[in-house]
Amino acid sequence: MYRRIRDLREDRDMTQAQMGRILACSQRVYSNYERGDLDIPTAVLIRLADYYDVSVDYLLGRTDNPRTNR
C-alpha cells in the first residue's frame, strides 16, 4: 500500500477522482495505486513527486524526509 500518496491527497482535501484527472487516469486506477494493487509506473511516480514537491523516495517510504535533492 502506498499510504503516503493517500495521506498527501487527503491533506489537500482532494478526491481520488481529482487525482486521477491530474494524472490522466481513472479514479479506479488511482485507487489501485493507493491500495498497492497496481505498481505505480515511474512516470506517474515522478508526476506525483513533482505535484506534491516531495521526493520519490518519500512517496515509496524509503525515507521520512520529504525534501527533494534538486
Side-chain angles (χ1 to χ4, degrees), residues 22-45:
I22 289 168
L23 298 173
C25 66
S26 69
Q27 177 274 328
R28 174 178 235 136
V29 168
Y30 183 80
S31 174
N32 286 333
Y33 291 157
E34 282 191 2
R35 287 194 320 266
D37 292 342
L38 283 177
D39 283 332
I40 303 173
T42 303
V44 174
L45 273 174

Side-chain angles (χ1 to χ4, degrees), residues 51-65:
Y51 181 80
Y52 291 123
D53 196 27
V54 297
S55 71
V56 170
D57 281 342
Y58 179 77
L59 292 177
L60 296 175
R62 293 173 44 98
T63 182
D64 290 329
N65 180 0

Side-chain angles (χ1 to χ4, degrees), residues 3-15 34 52 54 58:
R3 181 160 184 92
R4 289 208 168 135
I5 67 169
R6 186 186 76 193
D7 291 345
L8 288 165
R9 175 183 58 78
E10 288 177 346
D11 287 348
R12 287 163 177 76
D13 296 322
M14 296 182 71
T15 66
E34 282 191 2
Y52 291 123
V54 297
Y58 179 77

